[in-house]
Amino acid sequence: PTAPFAKETMPTLSPVEQEAATVYATLALYDGGATITAEQIKNLLTATGCEVEAYWPTLFAKYVGGKMDDLIFAVGGGGGGGGGGDAAGAP
């Protein structure tokens, strides 16, 4: 399948946009129950008309490496505390 628009009309994606497109493609594959590989990510990006540097799909496929559930459902750490000292009770 081809994108619904001509390739010439596709804007060049910035590095941040390329990363975001790769993240979304990875999440879409996960949500669809597909195996997450560099080739699958690249195919999905190509099907949607997104061109990214060749390293993005490989980087994400290696990072995810079958641990997507762990990455999504991991409890975040850190965060702000409740404040403290005299400033917390000041009017």
Coordinates of all heavy atoms in Angstrom, one line a residue:
P1 N 0.8 -1.2 0.0 CA 0.0 0.0 0.0 C 0.9 1.2 0.0 O 1.9 1.3 0.6 CB -0.8 -0.1 1.3 CG -0.3 -1.3 2.0 CD 0.7 -2.0 1.2
T2 N 0.4 2.3 -0.6 CA 1.1 3.5 -0.7 C 0.4 4.6 0.2 O -0.8 4.4 0.4 CB 1.2 4.0 -2.1 OG1 -0.1 4.2 -2.7 CG2 2.0 3.0 -3.0
A3 N 1.1 5.6 0.5 CA 0.5 6.7 1.3 C -0.5 7.4 0.4 O -0.4 7.4 -0.8 CB 1.6 7.6 1.7
P4 N -1.6 8.0 1.0 CA -2.6 8.6 0.2 C -2.2 10.0 -0.5 O -3.0 10.7 -1.0 CB -3.7 8.9 1.2 CG -3.0 8.9 2.5 CD -1.8 8.0 2.4
F5 N -0.9 10.3 -0.4 CA -0.4 11.6 -0.9 C 0.9 11.3 -1.6 O 1.6 10.3 -1.3 CB -0.3 12.6 0.1 CG 0.1 12.1 1.5 CD1 1.4 11.8 1.7 CD2 -0.8 11.9 2.4 CE1 1.8 11.3 3.0 CE2 -0.5 11.4 3.7 CZ 0.8 11.1 3.9
A6 N 1.3 12.2 -2.5 CA 2.5 12.0 -3.2 C 3.7 12.2 -2.3 O 3.7 13.1 -1.4 CB 2.6 13.1 -4.4
K7 N 4.7 11.4 -2.6 CA 5.9 11.5 -1.7 C 6.6 12.9 -1.8 O 7.1 13.4 -0.8 CB 6.9 10.5 -2.2 CG 8.1 10.3 -1.3 CD 9.0 9.1 -1.7 CE 10.1 9.0 -0.7 NZ 10.7 7.7 -0.8
E8 N 6.4 13.6 -2.9 CA 7.0 14.9 -3.0 C 6.4 15.9 -2.0 O 7.0 16.9 -1.7 CB 6.9 15.5 -4.4 CG 7.6 14.7 -5.5 CD 6.9 13.4 -5.9 OE1 5.7 13.5 -6.2 OE2 7.4 12.3 -5.9
T9 N 5.2 15.7 -1.5 CA 4.5 16.6 -0.7 C 4.9 16.4 0.8 O 4.5 17.1 1.7 CB 3.0 16.5 -0.8 OG1 2.5 15.3 -0.4 CG2 2.6 16.8 -2.2
M10 N 5.6 15.3 1.1 CA 5.9 15.0 2.5 C 7.0 15.9 3.0 O 8.0 16.1 2.4 CB 6.4 13.5 2.6 CG 5.4 12.5 2.5 SD 4.1 12.6 3.8 CE 5.1 12.4 5.3
P11 N 6.8 16.6 4.1 CA 7.8 17.4 4.7 C 8.9 16.6 5.3 O 8.7 15.4 5.6 CB 7.1 18.2 5.8 CG 5.9 17.3 6.1 CD 5.6 16.6 4.9
T12 N 10.1 17.2 5.3 CA 11.2 16.5 6.0 C 11.0 16.6 7.5 O 10.7 17.6 8.0 CB 12.5 17.2 5.6 OG1 12.7 17.1 4.2 CG2 13.7 16.5 6.2
L13 N 11.1 15.4 8.1 CA 10.9 15.4 9.6 C 12.2 15.8 10.3 O 13.3 15.4 9.9 CB 10.5 14.0 10.0 CG 9.2 13.5 9.5 CD1 8.9 12.0 9.9 CD2 8.0 14.4 9.8
S14 N 12.0 16.6 11.4 CA 13.2 16.9 12.2 C 13.6 15.7 13.0 O 12.8 14.7 13.1 CB 12.8 18.0 13.2 OG 11.9 17.5 14.2
P15 N 14.8 15.6 13.6 CA 15.1 14.5 14.4 C 14.1 14.2 15.5 O 13.8 13.0 15.8 CB 16.5 14.9 15.0 CG 17.1 15.8 13.9 CD 15.9 16.6 13.4
V16 N 13.6 15.2 16.2 CA 12.6 15.0 17.2 C 11.3 14.4 16.6 O 10.8 13.4 17.2 CB 12.3 16.3 17.9 CG1 11.1 16.2 18.9 CG2 13.5 16.8 18.7
E17 N 10.9 14.8 15.5 CA 9.7 14.3 14.8 C 10.0 12.8 14.4 O 9.1 12.0 14.5 CB 9.3 15.1 13.7 CG 8.8 16.5 14.1 CD 8.6 17.4 12.9 OE1 9.4 17.4 11.9 OE2 7.7 18.3 13.0
Q18 N 11.2 12.5 13.9 CA 11.5 11.2 13.5 C 11.5 10.2 14.7 O 11.0 9.1 14.6 CB 12.9 11.1 12.9 CG 13.1 11.8 11.6 CD 14.4 11.7 11.0 OE1 15.1 10.7 11.1 NE2 14.9 12.8 10.4
E19 N 12.0 10.7 15.9 CA 11.9 9.9 17.1 C 10.5 9.7 17.5 O 10.1 8.5 17.8 CB 12.7 10.6 18.2 CG 12.7 9.8 19.5 CD 13.4 10.5 20.6 OE1 13.8 11.7 20.5 OE2 13.6 9.9 21.7
A20 N 9.7 10.7 17.5 CA 8.3 10.6 17.8 C 7.5 9.6 16.9 O 6.7 8.8 17.3 CB 7.6 11.9 17.8
A21 N 7.8 9.7 15.6 CA 7.1 8.8 14.6 C 7.5 7.4 14.9 O 6.7 6.5 14.9 CB 7.6 9.2 13.2
T22 N 8.8 7.1 15.3 CA 9.2 5.8 15.6 C 8.6 5.3 16.9 O 8.2 4.1 17.0 CB 10.8 5.8 15.7 OG1 11.3 6.3 14.5 CG2 11.3 4.3 15.9
V23 N 8.4 6.2 17.9 CA 7.8 5.8 19.1 C 6.3 5.4 18.8 O 5.8 4.3 19.3 CB 7.8 7.0 20.1 CG1 6.8 6.7 21.3 CG2 9.2 7.2 20.7
Y24 N 5.6 6.2 18.0 CA 4.2 5.9 17.7 C 4.1 4.6 16.9 O 3.2 3.8 17.1 CB 3.6 7.0 17.0 CG 3.4 8.3 17.8 CD1 3.7 9.5 17.3 CD2 2.9 8.2 19.1 CE1 3.6 10.7 18.0 CE2 2.8 9.4 19.9 CZ 3.1 10.6 19.3 OH 2.9 11.7 20.1
A25 N 5.0 4.4 16.0 CA 5.0 3.1 15.2 C 5.2 1.9 16.1 O 4.5 0.9 16.0 CB 6.0 3.2 14.1
T26 N 6.1 2.0 17.1 CA 6.4 1.0 18.0 C 5.2 0.7 18.9 O 4.8 -0.5 19.1 CB 7.6 1.3 18.9 OG1 8.8 1.6 18.0 CG2 8.0 0.2 19.8
L27 N 4.6 1.7 19.4 CA 3.4 1.6 20.2 C 2.2 1.0 19.4 O 1.5 0.1 19.9 CB 2.9 2.9 20.8 CG 3.9 3.4 21.9 CD1 3.5 4.9 22.3 CD2 3.8 2.5 23.1
A28 N 2.1 1.4 18.1 CA 1.0 0.8 17.3 C 1.2 -0.7 17.1 O 0.3 -1.5 17.1 CB 1.0 1.6 16.0
L29 N 2.5 -1.1 16.8 CA 2.8 -2.5 16.6 C 2.4 -3.3 17.9 O 1.8 -4.3 17.9 CB 4.2 -2.7 16.3 CG 4.6 -2.2 14.9 CD1 6.1 -2.3 14.7 CD2 3.9 -3.1 13.8
Y30 N 2.8 -2.7 19.1 CA 2.5 -3.4 20.3 C 1.0 -3.5 20.6 O 0.5 -4.6 20.9 CB 3.2 -2.6 21.5 CG 2.8 -3.0 22.8 CD1 3.3 -4.2 23.4 CD2 1.8 -2.4 23.6 CE1 3.0 -4.6 24.7 CE2 1.4 -2.8 24.8 CZ 2.0 -3.9 25.4 OH 1.6 -4.4 26.6
D31 N 0.3 -2.4 20.3 CA -1.1 -2.4 20.5 C -1.8 -3.4 19.6 O -2.8 -4.0 20.0 CB -1.7 -1.0 20.3 CG -3.1 -0.9 20.7 OD1 -3.4 -1.3 21.9 OD2 -3.9 -0.3 19.9
G32 N -1.3 -3.6 18.4 CA -1.8 -4.5 17.5 C -1.4 -6.0 17.7 O -1.8 -6.9 17.0
G33 N -0.6 -6.2 18.7 CA -0.1 -7.5 19.0 C 1.0 -8.1 18.1 O 1.3 -9.3 18.1
A34 N 1.6 -7.2 17.3 CA 2.6 -7.6 16.3 C 4.0 -7.7 17.0 O 4.2 -7.1 18.1 CB 2.7 -6.6 15.2
T35 N 4.8 -8.5 16.5 CA 6.2 -8.6 17.0 C 6.9 -7.3 16.6 O 6.8 -6.9 15.5 CB 6.9 -9.8 16.3 OG1 6.2 -11.0 16.6 CG2 8.3 -10.0 16.9
I36 N 7.6 -6.8 17.6 CA 8.3 -5.5 17.4 C 9.7 -5.8 16.9 O 10.5 -6.2 17.7 CB 8.3 -4.6 18.6 CG1 6.8 -4.3 19.0 CG2 9.0 -3.3 18.4 CD1 6.6 -3.6 20.3
T37 N 9.9 -5.6 15.6 CA 11.3 -5.7 15.0 C 11.6 -4.4 14.3 O 10.7 -3.6 13.9 CB 11.3 -6.9 14.1 OG1 10.5 -6.6 12.9 CG2 10.9 -8.2 14.7
A38 N 12.9 -4.2 14.0 CA 13.2 -3.1 13.2 C 12.5 -3.1 11.8 O 12.1 -2.0 11.4 CB 14.8 -3.0 13.0
E39 N 12.4 -4.2 11.2 CA 11.8 -4.3 9.9 C 10.3 -3.9 10.0 O 9.8 -3.2 9.2 CB 11.9 -5.7 9.4 CG 11.3 -5.9 8.0 CD 11.6 -7.2 7.3 OE1 12.3 -8.0 7.9 OE2 11.0 -7.5 6.3
Q40 N 9.6 -4.4 11.1 CA 8.2 -4.1 11.2 C 8.0 -2.6 11.5 O 7.1 -2.0 10.9 CB 7.6 -4.9 12.4 CG 7.5 -6.4 12.1 CD 6.2 -6.7 11.3 OE1 6.2 -6.3 10.1 NE2 5.3 -7.3 11.9
I41 N 8.8 -2.0 12.3 CA 8.8 -0.6 12.5 C 9.0 0.2 11.2 O 8.2 1.1 10.9 CB 9.8 -0.1 13.6 CG1 9.4 -0.8 15.0 CG2 9.8 1.4 13.7 CD1 10.5 -0.6 16.0
K42 N 10.0 -0.2 10.5 CA 10.3 0.5 9.2 C 9.2 0.3 8.2 O 8.8 1.3 7.6 CB 11.6 -0.1 8.6 CG 12.0 0.5 7.3 CD 13.3 0.0 6.8 CE 13.8 0.7 5.6 NZ 13.5 -0.1 4.4
N43 N 8.6 -0.9 8.1 CA 7.5 -1.1 7.2 C 6.3 -0.2 7.6 O 5.6 0.4 6.7 CB 7.1 -2.5 7.2 CG 8.1 -3.4 6.5 OD1 8.9 -3.0 5.8 ND2 8.0 -4.7 6.8
L44 N 6.0 -0.1 8.9 CA 4.9 0.7 9.3 C 5.1 2.2 9.0 O 4.2 2.9 8.5 CB 4.6 0.5 10.8 CG 3.3 1.3 11.3 CD1 2.1 1.0 10.5 CD2 3.1 0.9 12.8
L45 N 6.3 2.7 9.3 CA 6.7 4.1 9.0 C 6.6 4.3 7.5 O 6.0 5.4 7.1 CB 8.1 4.4 9.5 CG 8.2 4.5 11.0 CD1 9.7 4.5 11.4 CD2 7.5 5.7 11.6
T46 N 7.1 3.4 6.7 CA 7.0 3.6 5.2 C 5.6 3.6 4.7 O 5.2 4.4 3.9 CB 7.8 2.4 4.5 OG1 9.1 2.5 4.9 CG2 7.7 2.6 3.0
A47 N 4.7 2.7 5.3 CA 3.3 2.7 4.9 C 2.6 4.0 5.2 O 1.6 4.3 4.6 CB 2.6 1.5 5.6
T48 N 3.0 4.7 6.3 CA 2.4 5.9 6.7 C 3.0 7.1 6.0 O 2.6 8.2 6.3 CB 2.4 6.1 8.2 OG1 3.7 6.0 8.7 CG2 1.6 5.0 8.9
G49 N 4.0 6.9 5.2 CA 4.7 8.0 4.5 C 5.7 8.7 5.3 O 6.2 9.8 5.0
C50 N 6.2 8.1 6.4 CA 7.2 8.8 7.3 C 8.6 8.2 6.9 O 8.8 7.0 6.8 CB 6.9 8.5 8.7 SG 5.5 9.2 9.4
E51 N 9.5 9.2 6.7 CA 10.9 8.8 6.4 C 11.7 9.2 7.6 O 11.7 10.3 8.0 CB 11.4 9.5 5.2 CG 10.8 8.9 3.9 CD 11.4 9.6 2.7 OE1 12.6 9.9 2.7 OE2 10.7 9.7 1.6
V52 N 12.4 8.2 8.2 CA 13.3 8.4 9.3 C 14.7 7.9 9.0 O 14.8 7.1 8.1 CB 12.7 7.8 10.6 CG1 11.3 8.3 11.0 CG2 12.7 6.3 10.5
E53 N 15.6 8.4 9.7 CA 17.0 7.9 9.6 C 17.0 6.4 9.9 O 16.2 5.9 10.7 CB 18.0 8.6 10.5 CG 18.2 10.0 10.2 CD 18.9 10.3 8.9 OE1 19.7 9.4 8.5 OE2 18.7 11.3 8.3
A54 N 17.8 5.6 9.2 CA 17.8 4.2 9.3 C 18.0 3.6 10.7 O 17.6 2.5 11.0 CB 18.8 3.6 8.4
Y55 N 18.7 4.4 11.5 CA 19.0 3.9 12.9 C 17.8 3.9 13.8 O 17.8 3.2 14.8 CB 20.2 4.7 13.5 CG 19.9 6.1 13.8 CD1 19.3 6.5 15.0 CD2 20.3 7.1 12.9 CE1 19.1 7.9 15.3 CE2 20.1 8.4 13.1 CZ 19.5 8.8 14.3 OH 19.3 10.1 14.6
W56 N 16.8 4.7 13.6 CA 15.7 4.8 14.5 C 15.0 3.5 14.7 O 14.8 3.1 15.9 CB 14.7 5.9 14.1 CG 15.2 7.3 14.4 CD1 15.4 8.3 13.5 CD2 15.4 7.9 15.7 NE1 15.8 9.4 14.2 CE2 15.8 9.2 15.5 CE3 15.3 7.4 17.0 CZ2 16.2 10.0 16.6 CZ3 15.6 8.2 18.1 CH2 16.0 9.5 17.9
P57 N 14.5 2.8 13.7 CA 13.8 1.5 13.9 C 14.7 0.5 14.6 O 14.2 -0.2 15.5 CB 13.4 1.1 12.5 CG 13.4 2.3 11.7 CD 14.4 3.2 12.3
T58 N 15.9 0.4 14.2 CA 16.9 -0.5 14.9 C 17.0 -0.2 16.3 O 17.0 -1.1 17.2 CB 18.2 -0.5 14.2 OG1 18.0 -0.8 12.8 CG2 19.2 -1.5 14.8
L59 N 17.2 1.1 16.6 CA 17.4 1.5 18.0 C 16.2 1.1 18.9 O 16.4 0.6 20.0 CB 17.7 3.0 18.1 CG 17.9 3.7 19.4 CD1 19.3 3.3 19.9 CD2 17.8 5.2 19.3
F60 N 15.0 1.4 18.4 CA 13.8 1.1 19.2 C 13.6 -0.3 19.3 O 13.2 -0.8 20.4 CB 12.6 1.9 18.6 CG 12.5 3.3 19.2 CD1 13.3 4.3 18.7 CD2 11.6 3.5 20.2 CE1 13.2 5.6 19.2 CE2 11.5 4.8 20.8 CZ 12.3 5.8 20.2
A61 N 13.8 -1.1 18.3 CA 13.6 -2.6 18.3 C 14.5 -3.2 19.3 O 14.1 -4.1 20.1 CB 13.8 -3.2 16.9
K62 N 15.8 -2.7 19.3 CA 16.8 -3.3 20.3 C 16.4 -2.9 21.7 O 16.6 -3.6 22.6 CB 18.2 -2.8 19.9 CG 18.7 -3.6 18.7 CD 20.2 -3.2 18.5 CE 20.7 -4.0 17.3 NZ 22.1 -3.7 17.1
Y63 N 16.0 -1.6 21.9 CA 15.6 -1.2 23.2 C 14.4 -1.9 23.8 O 14.5 -2.3 24.9 CB 15.4 0.4 23.2 CG 15.0 0.9 24.6 CD1 16.0 1.0 25.6 CD2 13.7 1.2 24.9 CE1 15.6 1.4 26.8 CE2 13.4 1.7 26.1 CZ 14.3 1.8 27.1 OH 14.0 2.3 28.3
V64 N 13.4 -2.0 23.0 CA 12.2 -2.7 23.4 C 12.5 -4.2 23.7 O 12.1 -4.7 24.7 CB 11.1 -2.5 22.4 CG1 9.9 -3.4 22.7 CG2 10.6 -1.1 22.4
G65 N 13.1 -4.8 22.8 CA 13.6 -6.2 22.9 C 12.7 -7.2 23.7 O 13.1 -7.9 24.5
G66 N 11.4 -7.1 23.5 CA 10.5 -8.1 24.2 C 10.1 -7.6 25.6 O 9.4 -8.4 26.3
K67 N 10.4 -6.4 26.0 CA 10.1 -6.0 27.3 C 9.2 -4.8 27.3 O 9.2 -4.0 28.2 CB 11.4 -5.6 28.1 CG 12.2 -4.5 27.4 CD 13.5 -4.2 28.2 CE 14.3 -3.2 27.5 NZ 15.5 -2.8 28.2
M68 N 8.3 -4.7 26.3 CA 7.4 -3.6 26.2 C 6.5 -3.5 27.4 O 6.2 -2.4 27.9 CB 6.6 -3.7 24.9 CG 5.9 -2.4 24.5 SD 7.0 -1.1 24.1 CE 6.1 -0.2 23.0
D69 N 5.9 -4.6 27.8 CA 5.1 -4.6 29.0 C 5.8 -3.9 30.2 O 5.2 -3.1 30.9 CB 4.6 -6.0 29.4 CG 3.5 -6.5 28.4 OD1 2.8 -5.6 27.8 OD2 3.3 -7.7 28.3
D70 N 7.0 -4.3 30.4 CA 7.8 -3.8 31.5 C 8.0 -2.3 31.4 O 7.9 -1.5 32.4 CB 9.1 -4.5 31.6 CG 9.1 -5.9 32.0 OD1 8.0 -6.4 32.5 OD2 10.0 -6.7 31.7
L71 N 8.2 -1.8 30.2 CA 8.4 -0.4 29.9 C 7.2 0.4 30.1 O 7.2 1.5 30.7 CB 9.0 -0.2 28.5 CG 10.4 -0.7 28.3 CD1 10.7 -0.7 26.8 CD2 11.4 0.0 29.1
I72 N 6.0 -0.1 29.7 CA 4.8 0.6 29.7 C 4.2 0.6 31.2 O 3.7 1.6 31.6 CB 3.7 0.0 28.8 CG1 4.2 0.3 27.3 CG2 2.3 0.5 29.0 CD1 3.3 -0.2 26.3
F73 N 4.3 -0.5 31.8 CA 3.7 -0.7 33.1 C 4.6 -0.4 34.3 O 4.2 -0.6 35.5 CB 3.0 -2.0 33.3 CG 1.9 -2.2 32.2 CD1 2.1 -3.2 31.2 CD2 0.8 -1.5 32.3 CE1 1.1 -3.3 30.3 CE2 -0.2 -1.6 31.3 CZ -0.1 -2.6 30.3
A74 N 5.8 0.0 34.1 CA 6.8 0.3 35.1 C 6.3 1.5 35.9 O 5.8 2.5 35.4 CB 8.2 0.5 34.6
V75 N 6.4 1.4 37.2 CA 6.0 2.5 38.1 C 7.1 3.5 38.0 O 8.3 3.2 38.2 CB 5.8 2.0 39.5 CG1 5.5 3.2 40.4 CG2 4.6 1.0 39.5
G76 N 6.8 4.7 37.7 CA 7.8 5.8 37.7 C 8.4 6.1 39.0 O 7.8 5.9 40.1
G77 N 9.6 6.6 39.0 CA 10.2 6.9 40.3 C 10.4 8.4 40.4 O 10.0 9.2 39.5
G78 N 10.8 8.8 41.5 CA 11.1 10.2 41.7 C 9.8 11.0 41.9 O 8.8 10.5 42.2
G79 N 9.9 12.3 41.6 CA 8.7 13.2 41.7 C 9.0 14.1 42.9 O 9.8 13.9 43.7
G80 N 8.2 15.1 42.9 CA 8.4 16.1 44.0 C 7.8 15.6 45.3 O 6.9 14.8 45.4
G81 N 8.4 16.0 46.3 CA 8.0 15.7 47.7 C 6.9 16.7 48.1 O 6.4 17.5 47.3
G82 N 6.6 16.6 49.3 CA 5.5 17.5 49.9 C 6.0 18.8 50.3 O 5.3 19.6 51.0
G83 N 7.2 19.2 49.9 CA 7.7 20.5 50.4 C 8.2 20.3 51.8 O 8.2 19.3 52.4
G84 N 8.6 21.3 52.4 CA 9.0 21.2 53.8 C 9.4 22.5 54.4 O 9.4 23.6 53.7
G85 N 9.8 22.4 55.6 CA 10.3 23.6 56.3 C 9.2 24.7 56.4 O 8.0 24.5 56.3
D86 N 9.7 25.9 56.8 CA 8.8 27.0 57.0 C 8.0 27.4 55.8 O 6.9 27.9 55.9 CB 9.5 28.2 57.6 CG 10.1 27.8 59.0 OD1 9.6 27.0 59.7 OD2 11.2 28.4 59.3
A87 N 8.6 27.3 54.6 CA 7.9 27.8 53.4 C 6.6 27.1 53.1 O 5.7 27.6 52.6 CB 8.9 27.7 52.2
A88 N 6.6 25.8 53.5 CA 5.4 25.0 53.2 C 4.2 25.5 54.0 O 3.0 25.4 53.5 CB 5.6 23.5 53.5
G89 N 4.3 26.0 55.1 CA 3.2 26.5 56.0 C 3.0 28.0 55.9 O 2.1 28.5 56.5
A90 N 3.8 28.7 55.1 CA 3.7 30.2 55.0 C 2.4 30.6 54.3 O 2.0 29.9 53.3 CB 4.9 30.7 54.3
P91 N 1.7 31.6 54.7 CA 0.5 32.1 54.1 C 0.7 32.7 52.7 O 1.6 33.2 52.3 CB -0.1 33.1 55.0 CG 1.0 33.5 55.9 CD 2.0 32.4 55.9

